[in-house]
Amino acid sequence: MSEISVRSFQLNDFDAIHELNKQEGWHQLVEKKDETFHGWINSEPALVLTKNDEVIGYLRGLTDGAVSLFVCELLIRSDHRGHDLGQRLIEEAHNCYPSTRVELLATSESEGYYSQKSFRTFYGFRKSAEEFV
């Protein structure tokens, strides 16, 4: 029987994470592989979802440990979606910092998922590093 579990990111997980980013079409993370790797080793929480020791999803976040937990990226491999695995990762991250609020950005494709999970919309802005040049 297959075992799905959540654990902390390990350096040897990055190739699988990079491949998931490719499959999802997250080109900026793929094209900036070194920067993305650096982001992973400096992020907390950094969690991977595994099935029989194969990485099938992940959550990379940033937190101050007391007030805010920001989910930078959350991705579940397409053939494992629809089983509340994203929710499981969010809950695991929040359990590490239970006093924090959870904030995340959603794409138009994922907006319905987060709305269904009772996340409220909020307004924000973004500017990429290249836009500061």
Side-chain angles (χ1 to χ4, degrees), residues 28-46:
Q28 187 174 17
L29 295 175
V30 172
E31 292 166 6
K32 294 185 170 197
K33 184 177 182 181
D34 291 340
E35 291 89 343
T36 302
F37 177 72
H38 186 78
W40 270 92
I41 62 174
N42 288 292
S43 294
E44 178 60 36

Side-chain angles (χ1 to χ4, degrees), residues 108-119:
S108 57
E109 293 85 19
S110 63
E111 180 182 6
Y113 173 80
Y114 294 112
S115 295
Q116 177 189 15
K117 299 296 179 188
S118 301
F119 281 86

